Amino acid sequence: MNRPNPPHIVAEAASADPRSVGALGLLAAVASRFSDYLELTKPRIVVLELIVAGAAAALASPQGLNVPVVIQALAATALVAGSASIANQWLERRIDLRMRRTANRPLPAGRVSSAEAIVLCVATLAAGVAWLGLQVNWTTAILGVASWITYVVIYTPLKQISSANTAVGAVAGAIPILMGWTATGAPLDLTAWTLAGVLFLWQFPHFMAIAWLYRAEYARAGHQMLTVVDPTGARAGVQAITGALLLIPVSMIPAMLPTSGSPSLYSLWAIALGGVQLALAIRFAVIRDESSARLLLRATLIYLPAWMTLLLMVSV
Ligand code: HEM
Ligand SMILES: CC(C)=CCC/C(C)=C/CC/C(C)=C/COP(=O)(O)OP(=O)(O)O
C-alpha cells in the first residue's frame, strides 16, 4: 500500500484527465492490496501442493477424471491451504520481523492489518471446508481440516520449541496429496499412502537445505531448526540423506501395484530421479556450503513435479 509509484507513472498521471487518474489510482491500490493478500497465502507452495494433489486425483481415476469435481476440489484445497499460511503468518507476525527473508511480509511490514488477516483466514477456511464438504466429499474436507490444524496449531508453535517441528510440518505438507486422491471418491489404499509417504520423506532434503541456508536467521528468530540445534549441519545432512534415501524404495511401491502400466520403465526413471536427489543430498551433507544447499533445494523443487509426471505417464 505504501509503495511509491515509479516516476514514469507519476509523470503520466500528472498530465492525465483527473477522472482517469482517480480510476487508475484506485485500480493500482486494489491491485497492490490483492497482491499483499495473495502473498499471505504463500502461493508458490500452494501451487506445488495443487500439482501433486491434481496428479494424485488423476492416478486415483484410471477410468477417467471427473474434471468439474477435481477442479472444485483443487480450488477449495487452495483456499484451505491459503488460510493455513495466513494463520501461520499471523501467529509469526512478530517473529518474522527478526528474519530478513520474512521481515517484508505483509503483516510484519504493516501493509496488512491483523484484523484483515484474521478475517481473510477465517473466510478462506470456512469457504474452503464448506466447498470441499458440500461439493466434493466430507473425507476430503476432514483431511483439509487435519492438515490445517497440524500446520497451524501444532507445527507453527513447535518451531520455537523443538527441532521435531520439521517432521510435524511434513505431515501437514503430505496431507494435500491424500486430498487429491479422496476427492475422486477413491478409498485410501496402499498407492495413496505411498504417494503421501514420498511427499512426507521429500520434505527432509527440501527443508534441510533451507534450514542450512537460513540457519543464522532461524537462530535470531528463536526457531529450533535442526541447523540451530546443531550448527555444524551434520545432523541436517543426515536427515537430508535419510529422507532422500528412504524415498527411493517407497517411490518404487507403485511399480509393484496392478494399477501401474509400465513397471520397469517407471522403476528405472524413479530410481534415476531419486538417485540424483540422493546424490545431491550426500553432496550437501559432505560439503555443507551455500551452493550445495541451493543445488539440493533446486533439485527437490524439480523432483516432485518430475516424479508426478512420470507416474502419470506410465500409469494405466
Ligand atoms: C517441513 C515442511 C516444509 C518446510 C519447513 C518448508 C519451508 C520452506 C521455506 C522456508 C521456503 C522458502 C525458501 C526460500 O525463501 O529460499 C520454502 C520454499 C518452497 N517450498 Fe517448502 N517447506 C516445506 C514443505 C513444502 C511442501 C509440502 C511444499 C509443496 C508440496 C513446498 C513447496 C515449496 C516451494 C514451491 C518453495 C519455493 C517457493 C519460493 O520460491 O518461495 N514446501 N519451503
Ligand atoms: C490443505 C492444507 C491446510 C495444506 C497445508 C499445506 C501447507 C501450508 C504446507 C506447508 C508445509 C510447511 C511446513 C511449510 C513451511 O512453513 P514455515 O512456517 O516453516 O515457513 P516460513 O518460515 O516461510 O513461514
Side-chain angles (χ1 to χ4, degrees):
M1 274 308 289
N2 300 326
R3 291 182 198 126
N5 280 325
H8 67 280
I9 299 221
V10 175
E12 275 168 23
S15 60
D17 173 347
R19 276 167 309 171
S20 66
V21 172
L24 273 179
L26 188 68
L27 203 67
V30 170
S32 155
R33 200 102 204 110
F34 179 76
S35 104
D36 284 332
Y37 290 160
L38 191 67
E39 191 184 339
L40 277 179
T41 65
K42 300 188 186 169
R44 285 177 292 252
I45 294 184
V46 173
V47 167
L48 191 52
E49 288 284 13
L50 294 186
I51 290 173
V52 293
L59 287 169
S61 327
Q63 257 59 281
L65 207 59
N66 184 340
V67 177
V69 170
V70 171
I71 287 177
Q72 291 188 69
L74 295 183
T77 300
L79 286 175
V80 181
S83 163
S85 285
I86 299 173
N88 165 272
Q89 287 182 67
W90 182 79
L91 288 169
E92 295 187 330
R93 64 198 182 284
R94 291 189 192 92
I95 295 170
D96 276 352
L97 265 177
R98 288 186 243 154
M99 300 194 285
R100 218 169 41 152
R101 182 177 65 83
T102 53
N104 194 34
R105 283 179 170 175
L107 277 162
R111 298 194 302 276
V112 168
S113 71
S114 260
E116 278 175 290
I118 291 168
V119 169
L120 265 179
C121 174
V122 173
T124 46
L125 178 62
V129 173
W131 197 358
L132 283 175
L134 298 173
Q135 293 294 112
V136 182
N137 56 56
W138 285 103
T139 307
T140 311
I142 289 166
L143 283 170
V145 172
S147 178
W148 195 97
I149 290 175
T150 310
Y151 184 53
V152 176
V153 181
I154 310 175
Y155 169 75
T156 302
L158 199 60
K159 284 167 74 178
Q160 289 279 305
I161 298 167
S162 160
S163 63
N165 70 68
T166 302
V168 175
V171 171
I175 290 177
I177 206 167
L178 295 177
M179 295 170 71
W181 188 274
T182 57
T184 66
L188 288 174
D189 61 9
L190 181 60
T191 310
W193 289 111
T194 299
L195 299 181
V198 171
L199 187 49
F200 173 81
L201 292 166
W202 167 87
Q203 291 172 78
F204 290 89
H206 170 70
F207 183 63
M208 288 308 142
I210 294 169
W212 173 256
L213 287 170
Y214 297 104
R215 63 196 182 285
E217 294 207 351
Y218 280 131
R220 208 177 314 131
H223 285 320
Q224 302 301 307
M225 301 310 187
L226 200 57
T227 49
V228 172
V229 177
D230 168 25
T232 69
R235 288 177 65 191
V238 170
Q239 284 208 6
I241 292 176
T242 308
L245 180 65
L246 291 178
L247 177 152
I248 297 175
V250 177
S251 70
M252 288 290 96
I253 295 175
M256 298 166 202
L257 298 170
T259 47
S260 182
S262 321
S264 51
L265 183 68
Y266 168 78
S267 308
L268 210 70
W269 279 102
I271 290 174
L273 276 177
V276 170
Q277 185 168 252
L278 176 61
L280 294 175
I282 295 172
R283 183 173 182 269
F284 161 68
V286 172
I287 302 177
R288 297 204 295 274
D289 66 356
E290 169 137 356
S291 81
S292 66
R294 284 208 184 282
L295 195 59
L296 175 59
L297 173 57
R298 224 169 290 147
T300 64
L301 291 174
I302 293 169
Y303 174 88
L304 216 48
W307 170 66
M308 296 276 14
T309 307
L310 174 65
L311 257 181
L312 286 174
M313 279 167 56
V314 299
S315 66
V316 185

